[in-house]
Amino acid sequence: MLAVPTGRDVRAISATPAVAARFAADIDSGVLYGTPSLEDYIFGRLKISRAEALAVPAVKRARDLICGGIGQFPLILVGPDGKPVEWSLLSQPEAGVARSVSITRTVEDLLLSERAWWKTTHVGWHNRPAEVVRLDAETVTVQPKYVTYPEGTALVWPDVPGLIRIDSPNGGLLTASTAIKAYILLSRIALRAADGVPPVDWFEPADGADPIGIPEGDETQEEADARAIGELLDAWYAARQARITAYIPAALKYNRDGFDPEKLQLAEAREFAITEIARLTGIDAEDLSVSTTSRTYFNAQDRRRSRIEDVLGPYMTAIEGRLSLDDLTPHGYRVVFDTSSYLRLDDQAAASTDATLIGAKVLLPDEAREKRGLEPLGLPAPAPADRPELPAAAPADRPELPAVQEETSNA
C-alpha cells in the first residue's frame, strides 16, 4: 500500500502552509509498478496463459516428466487375434512431426487445458483417419451445450465430422491452479526486489508542508487532489522506469518497508508453492527439487511403475480409450501404449526371468533372443525335467450295500 499526499508540483507543495495533510490514497503496487496484483489472480481477473504457466520452473519440470514420459511410449494397434497391426496414424500422426512430439504436445493439452483436439486431414485404412493435425486447444471454437432431460441436465458436445476430441480425466492446470498463480506473483515480487523496488513503500508530507492539489476551473478540491496525485504518480513511475531511483520532491518524505536479502527471495513461500504444484500434478516433490524429510523407499523400477500407475496412467488410459472407439478403429481393435522398454529390468534380473520362463516352457530360447535383438539359433525346445511319477491312488474302501437294498433294486 502506498499512502501518497497530493501536490501538483514541487513549487505548489513547498508554498503551502504547515498544516496536516488533507488527502491520502491507497495505491496498489500493481498500479504503481504496472504489474498484476494478487487479487487479479485470485479472483480470475487475469487468466493465466500457457506461456506464463510453463515459465514456472516447477510446472515446466512436471510437464516434461508427464508429457515427455508418455510421448516416448510407442502406440500399438492390437487386432482381435491379439497381434499388433500396422496403422500410419499411430506411427506418425502428423505430417513432418515426429510421433513422440505429437503425443507429447497432445498430453500437454490434456494437462494444461483439460482436452486435446485433432483434425483429420487424410483418411485411409478401413476408411479411418490416416493423418491428423493437432489444433491449439485455446483456439478451438467448438463449444458444448447444456441439454435438459426429464431426469436432469447434461453437457453435450456437438459431433463435428473429422474433429477428434480427447478429454482429460483431470482438470486443466491453467484454470484450476491457484498455486501456479501464487508462484508467478512471488517471482514478480522477487524480481522487483532485485531491481531495487521494495515490496511496500509510501509517501508522507515532510515537516512544514501540506501538499494539496490546486483547483483549476470548476474543479472541486477532491477532484484537484485526485488529479494532483495522479500527476505525481505518473512522474514517479516514469522516473522509476528510466532510472533505478526516482527523484523525491523536498516537500515529500519517502518511506519503505524493506526485507533482508533472505526474505527478498521469498524462498520459503516459493518452495511451498512448488510443493502445491507437486500435489496438483502428482509428481514427487523431490523430482521438482524440493527436499523431503521422510519418504518410502522405492527402487528405480518400482518408482517407474508407480509413476505409470498413479501419474501417467490416467492420461494414457484417456488416449487409449479415445483412439480405440469405433469411429477411429474397427470393432474388435484397440490401441495401447507399449511401456515394456520403460519398465525393463536390469540385465541380471532380465536373464533370471528369461531362464525361469524358458524352464517353465512359457518362452522359447529364440523368443528370448529376439527380445534382445539377437539372431535366432534354431535350438529345439528344452526337454521337460524328469519328475518322479506319482504313485497311483489306492482305491478307497467302500462299504458294501446291504443285500436288502440289492433286492429292492432288483425288484
Side-chain angles (χ1 to χ4, degrees), residues 213-224:
I214 301 177
E216 294 181 356
D218 296 335
E219 282 186 337
T220 64
Q221 185 62 54
E222 289 75 10
E223 293 173 344

Side-chain angles (χ1 to χ4, degrees), residues 97-253:
V97 182
R99 180 206 57 80
S100 61
V101 176
S102 297
I103 299 301
T104 298
R105 292 173 178 172
T106 298
V107 181
E108 178 183 318
D109 291 338
L110 298 179
L111 176 66
L112 299 179
S113 301
E114 194 174 355
R115 56 185 50 88
W117 299 87
W118 287 0
K119 176 66 176 177
T120 302
T121 55
H122 289 86
V123 178
W125 175 76
H126 283 262
N127 199 28
R128 295 306 198 275
E131 186 177 296
V132 298
V133 60
R134 171 187 159 271
L135 301 179
D136 187 354
E138 279 74 28
T139 63
V140 176
T141 57
V142 177
Q143 298 296 329
K145 296 181 179 180
Y146 283 97
V147 179
T148 302
Y149 299 97
E151 297 79 11
T153 303
L155 192 64
V156 179
W157 287 89
D159 186 11
V160 180
L163 193 61
I164 304 172
R165 187 188 80 254
I166 306 175
D167 295 317
S168 170
N170 305 322
L173 294 183
L174 297 183
T175 57
S177 174
T178 307
I180 299 178
K181 300 174 184 178
Y183 187 93
I184 293 175
L185 179 65
L186 293 172
S187 298
R188 290 179 183 271
I189 295 175
L191 290 176
R192 291 204 306 269
D195 290 337
V197 180
V200 179
D201 57 353
W202 66 94
F203 288 115
E204 65 181 6
D207 295 338
D210 178 26
I212 58 174
I214 301 177
E216 294 181 356
D218 296 335
E219 282 186 337
T220 64
Q221 185 62 54
E222 289 75 10
E223 293 173 344
D225 291 343
R227 176 176 50 79
I229 192 174
E231 293 175 356
L232 176 63
L233 289 178
D234 289 342
W236 176 263
Y237 177 76
R240 287 303 305 260
Q241 294 296 316
R243 303 173 181 84
I244 295 179
T245 303
Y247 173 74
I248 304 175
L252 296 178
K253 181 181 178 182

